[in-house]
Amino acid sequence: MPELPEILSRAKEMKEALVGKTIASVEVLQPKSLNVPLEDFTTGLTGSRIEDVTYHGKWIKVRTTQGWFLLNLGMGGEILLIDRENLPEKHRLIIDFSDGTCLSINFWWFGYAHYKPLDQLHTHEMTAKLGPNVIDLTQEDLGKLLSGQRTRIKAFLLDQSKVAGIGNAYIHDILFLARLHPNRKIDTLSETEIESLYRAIHAGLQPSIQKNGAFYETTLFGQKGGFQMEEIIIGYREGSPCPNCGTTIEKIKTGSTSSFICPSCQANA
Ligand SMILES: [Zn+2]
């Protein structure tokens, strides 16, 4: 499933490649993914020029001269800049540009392709309810968000309405780098631990951001992301020695999800 490193990378690639292009037509093969009637979606975007591409949580936000195109890949998928002669077998949405290229979008399972007029982005509930992108926070911002919270740290970091962008792939390394047990209660964190967590969020996400995301996702140009399984420090490595202290890494149940921890480095539950 795409998380912040993958979504940030796709938005960056799309911004560099798509800004200035004019949408000539739109073909929707999965109308269920839309938030408006098909005709409103196609007339909303057809003839518009792409002005900017940003992201928020798992959403890619394309601002055009006629409105917002908001894209969420759900469990995963491909966004490819290609042409009609080279379309992949699977696609659910095609955006044709006036220069002959097109954007082919596939959802592995189910995704969202939404439209909002330029002045109505704030009425898009699925993005409006998201917390800030976690990588954009300052240490002070993070401290303020954590202040007064009484939940457990892992649940908080995965709650997209609190902070957006961290999912099950990167959470384990982030908590390990911060030396925090996933079940640690937020109101017991010291200033030093919050500082460690802030640094760990960046240290846990940056290696993948710098390599255009994880290997299981595809770039806009059809290549695999460069962040490899063996670069994951502790996630999915139960039975292996902790790279910090040598203790055997454990897979434990934390609420409804599994966590990978070093029981020595992250002992402070
Ligand atoms: Zn350890």
Side-chain angles (χ1 to χ4, degrees), residues 176 179 234 242-247 262-266:
F176 171 72
R179 302 292 186 257
I234 199 158
C242 165
N244 185 50
C245 74
T247 304
C262 168
S264 300
C265 294
Q266 295 163 272

Coordinates of all heavy atoms in Angstrom, one line a residue, residues 176 179 234 242-247 262-266, ligand 1:
F176 N 11.2 1.9 16.1 CA 12.5 1.3 16.6 C 13.6 2.4 16.6 O 14.3 2.5 17.6 CB 13.0 0.2 15.6 CG 14.4 -0.2 15.8 CD1 14.7 -1.0 16.9 CD2 15.4 0.1 14.9 CE1 16.0 -1.4 17.1 CE2 16.7 -0.3 15.2 CZ 17.0 -1.0 16.3
R179 N 13.3 4.3 19.6 CA 13.4 3.5 20.8 C 12.1 3.5 21.6 O 12.2 3.6 22.9 CB 14.6 3.9 21.6 CG 16.0 3.8 20.9 CD 16.4 2.4 20.6 NE 17.7 2.3 20.0 CZ 18.0 2.2 18.7 NH1 17.0 2.1 17.8 NH2 19.2 2.1 18.2
I234 N 13.9 -3.1 10.8 CA 13.3 -4.1 11.8 C 12.0 -4.6 11.4 O 11.6 -5.7 11.8 CB 13.3 -3.3 13.2 CG1 13.2 -4.4 14.3 CG2 12.2 -2.3 13.2 CD1 13.6 -3.9 15.6
C242 N 18.6 -7.8 16.4 CA 18.5 -6.4 16.3 C 19.8 -5.8 15.9 O 20.9 -6.1 16.4 CB 18.1 -5.8 17.7 SG 18.4 -4.1 17.9
P243 N 19.9 -4.9 14.9 CA 21.1 -4.3 14.4 C 21.8 -3.4 15.5 O 23.0 -3.1 15.4 CB 20.7 -3.5 13.2 CG 19.3 -3.2 13.3 CD 18.7 -4.4 14.1
N244 N 21.1 -3.0 16.5 CA 21.6 -2.2 17.5 C 22.2 -3.0 18.7 O 23.3 -2.7 19.2 CB 20.5 -1.2 18.1 CG 21.1 -0.2 19.1 OD1 22.1 0.4 18.8 ND2 20.4 -0.1 20.2
C245 N 21.5 -4.1 19.1 CA 22.0 -4.8 20.3 C 22.0 -6.3 20.2 O 22.5 -7.0 21.1 CB 21.0 -4.4 21.5 SG 19.4 -5.2 21.4
G246 N 21.6 -6.8 19.1 CA 21.7 -8.2 18.9 C 20.5 -9.1 19.4 O 20.4 -10.3 19.1
T247 N 19.7 -8.5 20.2 CA 18.5 -9.2 20.7 C 17.6 -9.7 19.5 O 17.5 -8.9 18.5 CB 17.7 -8.3 21.7 OG1 18.6 -7.9 22.7 CG2 16.5 -9.1 22.3
C262 N 12.3 -4.7 18.8 CA 13.4 -5.2 19.6 C 13.0 -5.1 21.0 O 12.8 -4.0 21.5 CB 14.7 -4.5 19.3 SG 16.0 -5.0 20.6
P263 N 12.8 -6.3 21.7 CA 12.3 -6.2 23.1 C 13.3 -5.5 24.0 O 12.9 -5.1 25.1 CB 12.0 -7.7 23.5 CG 12.8 -8.5 22.5 CD 12.9 -7.6 21.2
S264 N 14.5 -5.4 23.6 CA 15.5 -4.7 24.5 C 15.5 -3.2 24.2 O 15.4 -2.4 25.2 CB 16.9 -5.3 24.3 OG 16.9 -6.6 24.6
C265 N 15.6 -2.8 23.0 CA 15.7 -1.4 22.6 C 14.4 -0.7 22.8 O 14.4 0.5 23.0 CB 16.1 -1.2 21.2 SG 17.8 -1.8 20.8
Q266 N 13.3 -1.4 22.7 CA 12.0 -0.8 22.8 C 11.2 -1.4 24.0 O 10.1 -1.8 23.9 CB 11.2 -1.0 21.5 CG 11.8 -0.3 20.3 CD 11.2 -0.9 19.0 OE1 11.7 -1.9 18.5 NE2 10.1 -0.3 18.5
Ligands
ZN1 ZN 17.9 -3.9 20.1

